[in-house]
Amino acid sequence: MLSTDKAGCRFCLGNELLADEPLGGNRSFYMLGSIGPEMPHAVMIILRRHAESPFDIRSEEWAGLGEMLTMAKAHLEHCDPDGFTLGWNVGAVAGQHVFHVHLHVVARFADESNAGMGIRAIVRG
């Protein structure tokens, strides 16, 4: 199988640059837990193949995203969230810092200081 990793990309698994181990995955995506103290109840769903934008996801890869969202929700259920925010940052101007497709899944709570505010209030990266 031909590698689709991009040299130096921290989300390309073949580069072995992750600070933690994936929590699970399927053929097209894998999931990482948040390691940032500012968002302890969050995960990222990351495309296994290197691509910079969700606009580059192939139709056969999209088919696996539903399974990953179910996995992410199940992983975050232990903290009894009141809701979730899902978000993609696409391009530097939109706040993307790692140029490898990743979807943020963030558990939200009624008593948090930015409750009722959308994605711009919480996602960076």
Side-chain angles (χ1 to χ4, degrees), residues 18-40:
L18 293 179
D20 54 346
E21 291 294 318
L23 300 170
N26 62 23
R27 180 181 172 132
S28 298
F29 297 92
Y30 69 94
M31 184 172 71
L32 287 179
S34 176
I35 58 173
E38 69 280 355
M39 284 201 301

Side-chain angles (χ1 to χ4, degrees), residues 6-73:
K6 180 177 179 181
C9 177
R10 76 181 205 210
F11 287 166
C12 286
L13 292 173
N15 292 333
E16 299 181 356
L17 297 174
L18 293 179
D20 54 346
E21 291 294 318
L23 300 170
N26 62 23
R27 180 181 172 132
S28 298
F29 297 92
Y30 69 94
M31 184 172 71
L32 287 179
S34 176
I35 58 173
E38 69 280 355
M39 284 201 301
H41 304 296
V43 299
M44 288 185 294
I45 297 171
I46 302 167
L47 186 64
R48 289 187 183 275
R49 177 180 61 84
H50 184 86
E52 292 189 7
S53 163
F55 296 109
D56 299 325
I57 295 174
R58 299 173 181 153
S59 59
E60 65 272 14
E61 293 166 332
W62 279 112
L65 187 58
E67 177 185 10
M68 293 305 301
L69 286 170
T70 299
M71 187 183 299
K73 184 178 182 204

